[in-house]
Amino acid sequence: MALSEESLRKIDREVAKYPPEGKQSALMAALAVAQDEYGWIPLDAIDEVAHYLGLPPIAVQEVATFYSMFDIKPVGKYKITICTNLPCALSGGERAARHLQEKLGVGWSETTPDRQFTLVEGECMGACGDAPVLLVNNKRMCSFMSDEKLDALLAELKE
Ligand code: FES
């Protein structure tokens, strides 16, 4: 397993944003690039990123395991992270979470048998006023998720 040339060039662009002695500052971005390529971050990718940035693999692993946006185990094609913290929970977040669990037939951190969806319970995303909120693959935020909007989102992702 090796990162593609395209991914390495993307990491190079991130590295170029910092002075040469601060190359390791591109670590978060490099892990995001690796996750985009593999769909998750396998151990080999941790080693590869560490080697590329001149960091000890354990330092890379610490970051990869600390942040919930990084997946160190395989996930479905679409990881849906829904916020159930208190402000969201009081504004429909729990209802939306139950709806997704029923529709997908999975519990927290589980993946559908067809490996299309993984459902994750998330922490505050700083968008409490837009509850219920969720993230698709850590990047696309969806707000005010009524049951109808959840159904439409699932239908769109299944296409
Ligand atoms: S509590 Fe859900 S976004 Fe803040």
Side-chain angles (χ1 to χ4, degrees):
M1 179 179 293
L3 286 166
S4 65
E5 273 305 308
E6 187 187 350
S7 289
L8 293 176
R9 295 299 75 79
K10 284 182 186 170
I11 294 174
D12 288 343
R13 280 199 292 277
E14 297 299 328
V15 167
K17 294 176 183 174
Y18 303 97
E21 66 277 14
K23 186 176 174 181
Q24 66 272 21
S25 300
L27 174 55
M28 298 273 288
L31 285 171
V33 169
Q35 181 159 281
D36 281 347
E37 177 159 346
Y38 298 123
W40 61 296
I41 302 177
L43 261 183
D44 284 356
I46 286 179
D47 287 343
E48 198 177 355
V49 167
H51 180 72
Y52 204 70
L53 296 180
L55 285 165
I58 188 67
V60 178
Q61 189 160 13
E62 282 169 358
V63 171
T65 54
F66 181 79
Y67 292 98
S68 61
M69 66 185 178
F70 296 129
D71 299 302
I72 54 163
K73 290 182 185 158
V75 292
K77 183 176 178 190
Y78 300 108
K79 183 176 84 169
I80 298 180
T81 307
I82 183 159
C83 176
T84 56
N85 278 189
L86 189 60
C88 277
L90 294 174
S91 303
E94 290 195 335
R95 171 203 47 75
R98 270 197 309 277
H99 187 76
L100 280 175
Q101 287 179 332
E102 283 164 19
K103 281 280 170 174
L104 297 174
V106 294
W108 293 128
S109 302
E110 290 179 358
T111 300
T112 54
D114 62 3
R115 310 229 32 101
Q116 287 291 295
F117 296 97
T118 299
L119 187 60
V120 175
E121 187 170 34
E123 301 299 330
C124 180
M125 299 169 187
C128 321
D130 296 349
V133 293
L134 61 81
L135 280 172
V136 179
N137 290 348
N138 308 305
K139 291 181 180 159
R140 174 181 168 190
M141 179 168 270
C142 302
S143 304
F144 304 111
M145 295 308 284
S146 62
D147 288 355
E148 295 71 29
K149 286 181 78 174
L150 290 169
D151 292 345
L153 175 68
L154 294 182
E156 176 207 315
L157 296 176
K158 280 178 186 165
E159 276 175 6

